[in-house]
Amino acid sequence: MAASSSSALFLTAAAQNLLCIKLAEGLGVEVPNRWITWFKASSLPAVGSLLVTPVIVYKLFPPTLKHTPDAPVMAKEKLDHMGPIKREEWLMMGTMLITVALWISGEHINVSSVVAALLGLSLLLLSGVLEWDDCLSEKSAWDTLVWFGVLVGMAGQLTTLGVVPWLSDLVAHMLKSLSVNKLGAFAILQLAYFFIHYLFASQTAHVGALYSAFLGMHLAAKIPGLLSVLVLGYNTNLFGALMHYSSGQAAVYYGGGFVKLPAVIRLGIIMAIVNLVIWGLIGAFWWKILGLY
Amino acid sequence: MAASSSSALFLTAAAQNLLCIKLAEGLGVEVPNRWITWFKASSLPAVGSLLVTPVIVYKLFPPTLKHTPDAPVMAKEKLDHMGPIKREEWLMMGTMLITVALWISGEHINVSSVVAALLGLSLLLLSGVLEWDDCLSEKSAWDTLVWFGVLVGMAGQLTTLGVVPWLSDLVAHMLKSLSVNKLGAFAILQLAYFFIHYLFASQTAHVGALYSAFLGMHLAAKIPGLLSVLVLGYNTNLFGALMHYSSGQAAVYYGGGFVKLPAVIRLGIIMAIVNLVIWGLIGAFWWKILGLY
């Protein structure tokens, strides 16, 4: 549940975030200073949500084991057994720091995020922390590469061929004819985008299928572009705990077998509403201050 | 030994052939109707070489076992054991035929070679002959993808930044100051390109490192562009059996353990000279007829 907000906090915390930004570019909405802009707008609602979520889940679904004095002892033993931090681990940490620093400051020193990522990979390969063979064996990375390539290409073509603008205008007109104002349209579109995720087994697939269309509807309804791009992006992370199949991490936690399906469904919908309320209220306030609308 | 000429025969017979065409584009030499042009120019010398090679190798390195009456019987038994051709195998053959047909005729019906390849892959995936997971596990394909991406990118930059033109002009001027005529320059450049392969453990790496520069030198020496592109491409295949590390297939045959290193070195250089003579003589005649020079 907490991972929903933590992956919304940083642009680089989830693959789908970068896909959102990429698709937004295709519709002509550029996000200046990406990493910082994303983080600034997400910071307050995400921190609010991260503080509240554990408390609520603790009440709703109390752990059966509340007193664990052995845990720190066991952890200490394991750490002693592992010994001091190894050379490779220091190098990994250093590379990660450099890469993230470049992602954050890249725009000012003219280093694109791709260059920063490739620099990090090259450092790991040169220092021997990673072998090229490790990279080739990383099947899920190749999967994501092809998956993203196809999705971005298809989304681009759907926009170029006029499908996305047509659908967006249609929905925007419909909302207008029902005399829904901008705030109403924003709420309806965000809620629809959110709950359609019951039909998706991957956040990336959801973004690929619907992000461009929904962003188009926001723009057609005259909702500010940058606000729409970011909030749809945050929204994409928040629905990750809706069901046990809703995201990669949800599948892993459910796969652990400790939480049964009825509890998943119940917690998923309750926390979804809690998150929407927190992000909606804090966001409305914070995004106004930041001048996003 | 024969694979050197068979992989030179068809554009689609080896990955490095396509890389040559791609790099040639970067230097402004377009190959019209790629597959056919490549095949037309290679056909006569390649067929000549394919007819002569087995005979010469048979004489130079006679098999220890010359009489194998059991082989056809064993083959028949294995075939009976395998049963009739399976559905998947028919589909694979059909897809291969469609793909190659599109590669051959693509230019006329406006289907690019990438579209043809992706169509073939899609057919295999849709018909269940291949699973996407098989593709993800194909590590050498991902290796080639990244390898080619980096090589093409680097070669492009070397040209853009002026390194290739500078080097090419330098060598061309040197050849001119030694009063070498066009034919002499062509021969020297092709031989140099060929024998430098003793230093390379991969045909693709060789193409990536030297193809653009050598093509540039040909062009600077006023040798016709299309001829240079094709002959350097054929050349790249012919040096595949020079040493046991010279190409993927050479490594596999040597890895079988039947041929010892001294025999590899001896056969490699003898057959290299035989191939150069055959391709040189038949080529000189054939390429004149085709109007390549």
Side-chain angles (χ1 to χ4, degrees), chain B:
Chain B
M1 293 297 166
S4 300
S5 286
S6 67
S7 66
L9 183 55
F10 305 111
L11 175 61
T12 42
Q16 67 266 13
N17 296 351
L18 295 150
L19 184 55
C20 293
I21 300 284
K22 186 88 198 154
L23 292 174
E25 272 177 15
L27 282 166
V29 187
E30 290 282 344
V31 179
N33 211 347
R34 294 172 179 192
W35 204 93
I36 296 281
T37 306
W38 180 284
F39 174 70
K40 251 203 236 160
S42 69
S43 55
L44 208 60
V47 169
S49 188
L50 284 170
L51 288 175
V52 171
T53 301
V55 179
I56 299 183
V57 175
Y58 191 92
K59 295 280 177 203
L60 285 175
F61 197 68
T64 47
L65 193 68
K66 294 190 180 178
H67 190 62
T68 53
D70 294 345
V73 182
M74 233 168 102
K76 212 192 154 311
E77 264 172 26
K78 292 257 173 174
L79 277 174
D80 286 346
H81 187 75
M82 285 170 73
I85 295 175
K86 290 187 200 70
R87 182 185 152 273
E88 271 95 44
E89 289 158 351
W90 280 118
L91 285 168
M92 182 73 211
M93 281 190 272
T95 306
M96 203 60 211
L97 278 178
I98 294 174
T99 313
V100 173
L102 283 175
W103 275 330
I104 297 173
S105 63
E107 194 127 324
H108 298 293
I109 54 175
N110 238 329
V111 174
S112 83
S113 49
V114 176
V115 172
L118 280 178
L119 184 75
L121 178 63
S122 306
L123 284 176
L124 292 179
L125 287 171
L126 285 173
S127 60
V129 176
L130 274 183
E131 301 286 329
W132 177 237
D133 206 60
D134 300 333
C135 302
L136 290 179
S137 308
E138 196 65 46
K139 278 166 65 171
S140 68
W142 299 114
D143 200 17
T144 308
L145 180 75
V146 173
W147 195 210
F148 273 35
V150 173
L151 283 177
V152 172
M154 280 211 323
Q157 282 302 306
L158 283 177
T159 306
T160 307
L161 298 174
V163 178
V164 171
W166 169 77
L167 192 68
S168 312
D169 284 343
L170 197 76
V171 174
H173 273 109
M174 214 174 66
L175 291 174
K176 214 174 176 183
S177 70
L178 296 169
S179 43
V180 177
N181 64 3
K182 264 196 226 177
L183 179 64
F186 182 76
I188 290 172
L189 291 174
Q190 291 285 341
L191 285 172
Y193 182 75
F194 189 95
F195 286 107
I196 292 174
H197 194 59
Y198 273 114
L199 304 177
F200 280 90
S202 148
Q203 290 168 297
T204 307
H206 189 136
V207 170
L210 296 177
Y211 186 89
S212 296
F214 270 83
L215 180 56
M217 294 175 206
H218 279 74
L219 298 178
K222 308 258 184 290
I223 298 163
L226 188 54
L227 180 75
S228 311
V229 168
L230 292 175
V231 179
L232 278 172
Y234 303 148
N235 195 334
T236 305
N237 292 290
L238 297 184
F239 56 47
L242 210 49
M243 289 292 279
H244 53 309
Y245 54 74
S246 294
S247 65
Q249 62 271 28
V252 171
Y253 283 116
Y254 182 72
F258 295 106
V259 190
K260 297 287 167 260
L261 191 53
V264 171
I265 300 178
R266 188 170 60 92
L267 284 172
I269 182 67
I270 295 177
M271 290 312 297
I273 293 167
V274 169
N275 265 321
L276 287 175
V277 170
I278 295 177
W279 280 79
L281 291 181
I282 306 187
F285 156 78
W286 186 233
W287 299 327
K288 186 84 200 169
I289 293 186
L290 291 178
L292 288 177
Y293 72 99

Side-chain angles (χ1 to χ4, degrees), chain A residues 187-245:
Chain A
I188 290 172
L189 290 174
Q190 291 285 342
L191 286 173
Y193 182 76
F194 189 96
F195 286 107
I196 292 175
H197 195 60
Y198 274 114
L199 304 177
F200 281 89
S202 148
Q203 289 168 296
T204 308
H206 189 135
V207 170
L210 297 176
Y211 187 89
S212 295
F214 270 83
L215 180 56
M217 295 174 205
H218 279 73
L219 298 179
K222 308 258 183 291
I223 297 161
L226 188 55
L227 180 75
S228 311
V229 168
L230 292 175
V231 180
L232 278 173
Y234 302 148
N235 195 332
T236 305
N237 291 291
L238 297 183
F239 57 49
L242 210 48
M243 288 291 279
H244 53 310
Y245 55 75

